[in-house]
Amino acid sequence: LTIGTRGSALALWQARHVASLIEKKYPSAEVELITIKTTGDKILEAPLARIGEKGLFTKEIEEALLDYRVDLAVHSMKDLPTDLPQGLQLTAVIEREDPRDAFISRDGTRLEHLKKGATVGTSSLRRRAFLLNRFPGLDVVSVRGNVETRLRKIHSEDLAGVILASAGITRMGFSDRITQYVESELMIPAIGQGALGIETRVDDTAVNETVAFLNHAKSRACVDAERAFLRRMGGGCAVPMAAYAIADGDAMTITAAVIHPDGTPAIREKLSAPISDTSVGRRLADILIERGAAAIAREVLGPDWKPGL
């Protein structure tokens, strides 16, 4: 089996993790990693929201899948667009790790204790909007690069700290650097954050059957509900939005928000449903749209914005 992956240290860790799970399940399997440079890897200076293109970290890998250069792809679910190319499918979502964001401070100061004007770095418009909503006195700047690069920039760019996904920090062995986990009451995680997805060709029965064991039903249901919210909101990263679903037995509760890039206004709501009803994400999006999310989207994207299907 050949796995298509980005070449960053974190992406390679994730692909190797999937390879090890496959090899453990099938001792005779031989798994090879094929590294592929994506558009998002090539453009490192501009903020992601400014680039505006969907599939920044997945398009070239999906092309390799369609061209039969790789058998499957491993993605961070938060990077995977809701609309996949014809002929490809999301075959499995691996059991989700901690989806929260984490703050790594230069000197151990927590977010709520930072002084007015303190500079915090993040690559995410969502994180920036949530920070400004709760701490309007902070100076939030764009910081791109892999985990190690962003950690180095705390000192090289004289930052009070940076915010990253806690799952990525933990996978790379830097959990001891975390100053605080940012709870969802303050910052709702990105759609799919903490989960890994396996993308394959629809008609590749052998590969699909081989990787089916990797799918974790509850993680898949929660991620599908979050992605239903994202699809209805039109996707993209130019408008800060977030959704986080939690499974509790046979029930699921999803919390979502749409926020102006400046931090206000912010529209937030939650909804519960049976875990089998992943369309709850779409219904929650409709509630937010009616409560003001549409106005935020049209202000940011223009008057022609419309909800997704």
Side-chain angles (χ1 to χ4, degrees):
L1 287 173
T2 52
I3 297 178
T5 174
R6 295 169 59 202
S8 72
L10 178 58
L12 289 171
W13 184 97
Q14 293 171 169
R16 290 186 186 115
H17 175 62
V18 171
S20 70
L21 293 174
I22 293 172
E23 290 168 342
K24 184 177 179 180
K25 176 76 170 178
Y26 305 103
S28 63
E30 295 182 7
V31 185
E32 179 186 2
L33 305 188
I34 306 294
T35 58
I36 299 167
K37 201 161 191 176
T38 66
T39 301
D41 296 315
K42 298 171 185 175
I43 305 174
L44 294 176
E45 299 305 320
L48 295 176
R50 189 178 300 168
I51 300 171
E53 185 179 337
K54 293 183 180 180
L56 283 173
F57 296 108
T58 59
K59 182 180 178 183
E60 287 80 2
I61 300 175
E62 291 176 326
E63 289 171 351
L65 262 176
L66 291 169
D67 291 343
Y68 290 81
R69 287 181 279 135
V70 298
D71 296 313
L72 62 143
V74 178
H75 302 292
S76 293
M77 281 305 305
K78 64 186 181 66
D79 294 334
L80 189 65
T82 54
D83 295 319
L84 304 184
Q86 186 173 357
L88 300 183
Q89 66 181 16
L90 177 61
T91 305
V93 173
I94 298 175
E95 185 172 7
R96 192 178 207 170
E97 294 187 37
D98 191 335
R100 294 176 294 178
D101 292 295
F103 179 55
I104 296 180
S105 171
R106 181 176 57 195
D107 58 8
T109 304
R110 293 172 61 88
L111 280 169
E112 60 268 26
H113 297 144
L114 292 178
K115 294 181 179 179
K116 186 176 182 180
T119 305
V120 176
T122 175
S123 63
S124 161
L125 191 63
R126 170 190 61 87
R127 294 173 186 141
R128 179 183 188 275
F130 274 111
L131 281 175
L132 293 178
N133 178 264
R134 184 64 67 91
F135 309 113
L138 292 180
D139 179 21
V140 186
V141 300
S142 176
V143 175
R144 292 281 311 281
N146 59 33
V147 173
E148 297 96 324
T149 298
R150 281 183 269 179
L151 292 180
R152 284 197 300 268
K153 287 183 177 181
I154 294 175
H155 296 283
S156 66
E157 299 190 6
D158 195 27
L159 305 176
V162 294
I163 295 185
L164 302 90
S166 64
I169 298 172
T170 300
R171 288 166 182 159
M172 293 306 298
F174 295 118
S175 58
D176 60 326
R177 298 280 302 274
I178 294 174
T179 303
Q180 71 183 105
Y181 292 93
V182 186
E183 299 298 336
S184 58
E185 288 75 18
L186 190 159
M187 185 177 291
I188 301 173
I191 285 93
Q193 186 159 296
L196 300 180
I198 309 298
E199 188 179 20
T200 65
R201 292 181 291 273
V202 172
D203 61 359
D204 198 335
T205 304
V207 170
N208 293 337
E209 290 178 353
T210 298
V211 302
F213 79 97
L214 293 168
N215 190 62
H216 185 260
K218 287 190 175 181
S219 297
R220 177 65 185 263
C222 289
V223 169
D224 282 349
E226 294 165 15
R227 287 167 63 79
F229 169 85
L230 180 62
R231 183 179 294 108
R232 182 60 170 163
M233 288 304 307
C237 57
V239 178
M241 62 183 73
Y244 175 39
I246 301 175
D248 183 9
D250 294 330
M252 172 170 55
T253 298
I254 178 170
T255 304
V258 175
I259 310 180
H260 191 279
D262 293 335
T264 55
I267 315 297
R268 177 177 178 138
E269 191 56 79
K270 68 170 61 176
L271 201 59
S272 296
I275 197 168
S276 58
D277 182 12
T278 58
S279 65
V280 65
R282 176 189 173 92
R283 297 197 300 277
L284 184 54
D286 285 334
I287 292 172
L288 292 181
I289 288 168
E290 187 175 336
R291 289 189 51 201
I296 295 174
R298 291 189 178 110
E299 180 179 344
V300 175
L301 300 175
D304 294 332
W305 175 86
K306 293 180 180 178
L309 298 176

